[in-house]
């Protein structure tokens, strides 16, 4: 995990960020091809309930949220999320319910009140190596730290190749390659 130019302070960030991973839910692992689908550029249409593009990324508002098998509380719980701000992809709308897919490919239905339009991301669970958070966009920039897969990040902006992100709970802001993130589409620009 330690690369050239990695300072002791960077190492402290790596360790403290890695410790924060225990708060994320554990879900079913999926093949890399399915994980890549979650980050590829979407062919969008407008949702018939909101008029917003589908698919689109949102984040989880609650730290105790149930994903259901169908679009009603009459349906059983499929999964319980215990960490707020996780990125979810809305793939369908029905009344006040949204069919969502998480970064592990788990799909189900959640009430719209559990979701926020605030964009977040996690370092791709499909990555075999940590992702660098750089001082500037580009591979030649100094790495501030290395982030393990599933580290939760706030997205400030993306230019289609690099995203400006903040590591939640840490005073660390920098640039991460967009292809290393789940919560933003490949080549998506956003402010």
């Amino acid at each position: 995990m330690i690369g050239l130019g990695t300072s002791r302070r960077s190492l402290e960030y790596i360790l403290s960020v890695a410790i924060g991973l225990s708060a994320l839910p554990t879900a079913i692992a999926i093949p890399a091809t399915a994980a890549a689908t979650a980050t590829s550029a979407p062919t969008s249409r407008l949702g018939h309930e909101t008029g917003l593009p589908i698919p689109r990324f949102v984040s989880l508002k609650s730290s105790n949220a149930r994903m259901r098998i169908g679009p009603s509380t009459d349906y059983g719980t499929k999964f319980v999320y215990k960490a707020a701000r996780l990125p979810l992809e809305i793939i369908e709308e029905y009344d006040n319910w949204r069919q969502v897919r998480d970064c592990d490919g788990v799909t189900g239905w959640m009430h719209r009140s559990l979701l926020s339009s605030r964009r977040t991301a996690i370092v791709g669970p499909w990555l075999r190596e940590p992702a660098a958070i750089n001082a500037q966009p580009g591979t030649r920039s100094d790495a501030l730290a290395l982030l393990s897969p599933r580290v939760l990040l706030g997205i400030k902006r993306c230019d289609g190749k690099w995203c400006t992100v903040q590591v939640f709970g840490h005073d660390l802001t920098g640039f991460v390659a967009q292809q290393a993130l789940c919560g933003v589409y490949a080549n998506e620009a956003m402010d």
Side-chain angles (χ1 to χ4, degrees), residues 59-113:
S59 61
L60 191 57
K61 196 185 290 187
S62 173
S63 62
N64 187 14
R66 294 179 186 275
M67 175 187 278
R68 297 193 174 269
I69 296 168
S72 163
T73 55
D74 294 337
Y75 288 94
T77 299
K78 183 174 188 175
F79 201 87
V80 177
Y81 292 89
K82 295 288 189 179
R85 301 189 285 210
L86 293 174
L88 296 169
E89 183 181 31
I90 293 178
I91 56 175
E92 191 56 75
E93 298 178 347
Y94 177 77
D95 196 29
N96 287 320
W97 293 84
R98 306 297 176 256
Q99 188 177 29
V100 297
R101 176 174 38 226
D102 69 16
C103 292
D104 288 310
V106 177
T107 62
W109 292 86
M110 299 185 96
H111 194 273
R112 68 182 179 95
S113 65

Side-chain angles (χ1 to χ4, degrees), residues 92-158:
E92 191 56 75
E93 298 178 347
Y94 177 77
D95 196 29
N96 287 320
W97 293 84
R98 306 297 176 256
Q99 188 177 29
V100 297
R101 176 174 38 226
D102 69 16
C103 292
D104 288 310
V106 177
T107 62
W109 292 86
M110 299 185 96
H111 194 273
R112 68 182 179 95
S113 65
L114 298 172
L115 306 173
S116 168
S117 61
R118 183 175 181 196
R119 298 287 294 272
T120 63
I122 63 170
V123 176
W126 59 88
L127 295 177
R128 300 281 184 239
E129 299 291 326
I133 183 167
N134 296 336
Q136 297 296 321
T139 56
R140 295 182 182 207
S141 175
D142 292 333
L144 302 172
L146 297 175
L147 305 175
S148 298
R150 299 186 184 280
V151 171
L152 184 61
L153 307 167
I155 299 176
K156 294 186 173 199
R157 66 178 304 276
C158 296

